[in-house]
Amino acid sequence: MSLLSAENLSVRLGDKTVLSGVSAAFAPGLVTAVVGPNGAGKSTLLDCLAALRKPDAGQVTLDGRALRDLPSRERARRIAYLPQNAEIAWAVNGRTFVGLGRTPYVGAWGLTAEDRTAVDRALTVTGVQSFADRVVSTLSGGERARVLIARALAGDPQWLLADEPLAGLDPGHVLDACDLFRRLADEEGRGVILTLHDLDAALRVADRVIVLAEGRGLADAAPVEALSPEVLRAAYGVEARTLDGLRGPVLEMVGRAR
Ligand SMILES: Nc1ncnc2c1ncn2[C@@H]1O[C@H](COP(=O)(O)OP(=O)(O)OP(=O)(O)O)[C@@H](O)[C@H]1O
């Protein structure tokens, strides 16, 4: 079984320790949410998992091999990374933009029929076919977010690492995106790792939640356990309680912890 593993990662940026001895192993077919307050180190952890940042200590391995030792093309085929707040400044249409997700496969002759099929599939599963002929720089923030997910999926990655993919989505599209992430894990066996601020979305979509605070792992467990009142108080300084919603647990933020 494929395994993506962070082993004792530490990262210092400037004079700040941003990650301190963080370890976590990720399995395919599961959705993991990484949550925590602003500045907790979530994006830094994701950057390390995508080999975009070299940790000062520790390492990331994929199937037992140091991720940074894999040829970059192979790495890009296996791991898709969806950045936070990605700007799309190019005046290209949605189909061309999503086609960029095929870059790790494209040879000297441009997109093949197989590449085009993968692009169509990515446009369809993310429900952005109507943007295929739109200039992407004219899309709204939430529309762009969905096109970015499509670009990531066009490369048919084993692993999808997405930094706040729900930011800017309206409630309906949050539900759609959560359903999509679940399907990618349940039906297609991909490993999905999301950083999230929306804790109810984490409860809804994740098999497992990692809570980071000040660069350390505070919890790594099933969602209700990881998002317990004690952990939320320690991580965010809030009083919260878990309520029984119609389709599962939901969180009520009662107020600031005193
Ligand atoms: N070049 C840098 N020098 C010093 N500190 C930095 C540098 N880059 C990032 N940081 C700090 O590292 C910490 C972790 O940043 P990171 O983006 O990983 O947090 P995050 O949990 O994703 O936050 P958010 O929820 O706000 O997006 C933050 O406090 C940030 O200010």
Side-chain angles (χ1 to χ4, degrees):
M1 183 171 72
S2 180
L3 204 67
L4 182 63
S5 186
E7 297 166 7
N8 215 11
L9 298 186
S10 292
V11 173
R12 279 189 71 77
L13 294 172
D15 58 1
K16 184 169 178 181
T17 300
V18 175
L19 286 183
S20 183
V22 173
S23 295
F26 302 90
L30 294 178
V31 178
T32 303
V34 180
V35 307
N38 292 131
K42 304 179 294 296
S43 299
T44 307
L45 173 61
L46 216 62
D47 288 350
C48 292
L49 289 170
L52 298 173
R53 183 182 291 285
K54 186 177 184 305
D56 294 299
Q59 66 168 351
V60 176
T61 60
L62 181 58
D63 304 339
R65 282 180 72 188
L67 189 57
R68 296 186 70 89
D69 291 346
L70 287 182
S72 55
R73 203 166 158 96
E74 182 184 342
R75 215 162 51 208
R77 287 181 180 188
R78 297 183 64 181
I79 300 178
Y81 171 77
L82 193 55
Q84 185 179 359
N85 301 325
E87 281 299 317
I88 311 177
W90 303 310
V92 296
N93 68 26
R95 185 183 304 280
T96 304
F97 182 76
V98 171
L100 294 174
R102 295 299 296 173
T103 303
Y105 292 89
V106 172
W109 307 105
L111 294 190
T112 61
E114 189 185 341
D115 292 324
R116 278 190 278 275
T117 302
V119 170
D120 282 335
R121 184 175 179 281
L123 288 165
T124 304
V125 297
T126 53
V128 296
Q129 305 97 312
S130 60
F131 306 147
D133 298 315
R134 284 274 305 277
V135 175
V136 283
S137 55
T138 66
L139 297 174
S140 77
E143 291 167 348
R144 265 201 305 270
R146 290 158 58 206
V147 169
L148 282 160
I149 297 175
R151 183 184 64 173
L153 291 180
D156 193 21
Q158 256 176 353
W159 297 91
L160 177 67
L161 278 47
D163 201 357
E164 296 193 28
L166 305 181
L169 297 188
D170 68 52
H173 286 117
V174 166
L175 295 180
D176 292 346
C178 286
D179 286 349
L180 173 63
F181 293 134
R182 280 258 44 105
R183 272 186 283 127
L184 294 174
D186 294 339
E187 295 168 19
E188 302 182 6
R190 301 182 208 269
V192 180
I193 307 173
L194 314 169
T195 72
L196 295 177
H197 278 302
D198 180 342
L199 301 182
D200 281 320
L203 280 172
R204 181 183 191 94
V205 73
D207 297 294
R208 167 186 174 208
V209 174
I210 294 174
V211 183
L212 288 184
E214 296 180 352
R216 292 176 188 276
L218 278 194
D220 180 351
V224 173
E225 195 185 328
L227 298 174
S228 69
E230 295 74 25
V231 173
L232 295 178
R233 192 178 307 120
Y236 293 93
V238 297
E239 291 298 340
R241 57 181 189 153
T242 311
L243 306 173
D244 287 328
L246 272 181
R247 67 165 299 287
V250 290
L251 283 168
E252 181 186 26
M253 291 296 154
V254 180
R256 270 285 174 194
R258 293 180 190 282

